[in-house]
Amino acid sequence: MAAGSALPVPCLQDPRSQRNALRAAALCTRMRCVRPQGMRGARHGRFDGAERRGGVRFGARLEAARKKAAVAVNDAMVEAYWEVGRQIVGAQGDRAEYGKHLMEYLSERLTKEFGKGFTKRNLFCMKQFYLAFPIVHTLCALSWSHYRLLIRVEDEKKRLFYMREAVDQRWTVRQLDREIHSFYYERLLATREERRESVRQEVKVLEPPTK
């Protein structure tokens, strides 16, 4: 494919950029939290009792900032992958042979520019991601690994069911995979209405929500 016909690609962050963003967020939070007053002996690594007690608060705020930064990075990456998938579908159309060359070209270009993570297989997953969730506003706060499992679920109702359950129950990727393969959706449908809540409770015991 000629360079002039390149498919526009959104600016994606590579893993090193993600780590740097988290370090920067943590550093900024620490700088906002630490107060120079009352830090006797700080030069020698000694703090008075008040600052030690305050350090617990610092740690909690720092951890909260890290989690917030991680969520923001994850959401940005998921939306970027969705956008790559949308552009691939739009450029490929019904031209299967053109799509094959397009994947090869994009894989080479994105890998050169952003590093690992843009193999033809992964680009195909991004394409399937867009096809499975064509409306970006329906995406939930799940990781890319969650969505890679969900796009394998062919039935739309079933796929949306597992997506909502994964969010509501805060399932890890492993928990989601286990419930899909244990046919949780089918078991729930096959259960009488009055017993469905008991099935849900059983799943909650086996797959407790993560913190």
Side-chain angles (χ1 to χ4, degrees):
M1 181 185 299
S5 59
L7 178 71
V9 178
C11 182
L12 308 180
Q13 294 175 296
D14 63 16
R16 286 176 298 179
S17 298
Q18 297 176 37
R19 289 193 294 270
N20 290 338
L22 293 177
R23 292 193 186 103
L27 179 60
C28 290
T29 303
R30 170 177 279 179
M31 293 175 67
R32 287 197 299 270
C33 293
V34 173
R35 295 167 295 175
Q37 295 82 5
M39 295 181 67
R40 290 199 309 266
R43 182 178 301 176
H44 303 289
R46 297 192 304 273
F47 300 91
D48 59 22
E51 285 302 328
R52 280 200 298 272
R53 289 192 297 272
V56 176
R57 293 195 296 272
F58 297 162
R61 292 175 66 178
L62 181 58
E63 184 61 27
R66 285 174 174 166
K67 289 181 179 179
K68 187 175 181 180
V71 169
V73 169
N74 176 74
D75 290 348
M77 293 299 292
V78 167
E79 288 190 17
Y81 291 158
W82 181 91
E83 177 62 21
V84 171
R86 184 186 71 83
Q87 293 193 43
I88 290 174
V89 171
Q92 180 177 345
D94 297 326
R95 298 170 293 178
E97 189 62 28
Y98 174 77
K100 178 182 178 181
H101 294 299
L102 178 66
M103 291 292 195
E104 293 175 352
Y105 166 76
L106 280 178
S107 177
E108 182 179 347
R109 175 184 168 185
L110 289 171
T111 299
K112 183 178 180 180
E113 190 169 353
F114 299 105
K116 296 180 180 179
F118 296 98
T119 62
K120 288 189 290 184
R121 180 189 179 98
N122 284 344
L123 290 175
F124 178 78
C125 286
M126 295 174 199
K127 172 187 171 183
Q128 295 303 109
F129 180 39
Y130 169 75
L131 292 174
F133 300 96
I135 304 175
V136 69
H137 300 299
T138 63
L139 299 179
C140 300
L142 294 173
S143 71
W144 173 238
S145 296
H146 282 91
Y147 280 114
R148 287 194 63 158
L149 288 177
L150 289 170
I151 61 178
R152 299 175 191 172
V153 180
E154 296 183 1
D155 184 87
E156 183 180 5
K157 289 184 178 179
K158 192 187 304 184
R159 185 167 59 243
L160 294 177
F161 167 82
Y162 282 119
M163 181 179 72
R164 288 192 294 267
E165 287 293 305
V167 173
D168 293 344
Q169 304 303 324
R170 301 192 298 277
W171 284 343
T172 64
V173 175
R174 182 175 295 181
Q175 288 172 322
L176 174 61
D177 184 52
R178 194 152 47 221
E179 289 310 315
I180 291 175
H181 285 89
S182 68
F183 304 102
Y184 174 42
Y185 177 80
E186 289 82 357
R187 285 187 287 122
L188 206 60
L189 285 184
T191 304
R192 291 174 179 249
E193 186 68 33
E194 60 271 18
R195 290 201 63 252
R196 287 184 181 179
E197 186 56 31
S198 64
V199 174
R200 290 183 182 274
Q201 292 303 319
E202 289 174 10
V203 170
K204 286 184 179 180
V205 172
L206 294 173
E207 305 288 359
T210 55
K211 296 182 179 180

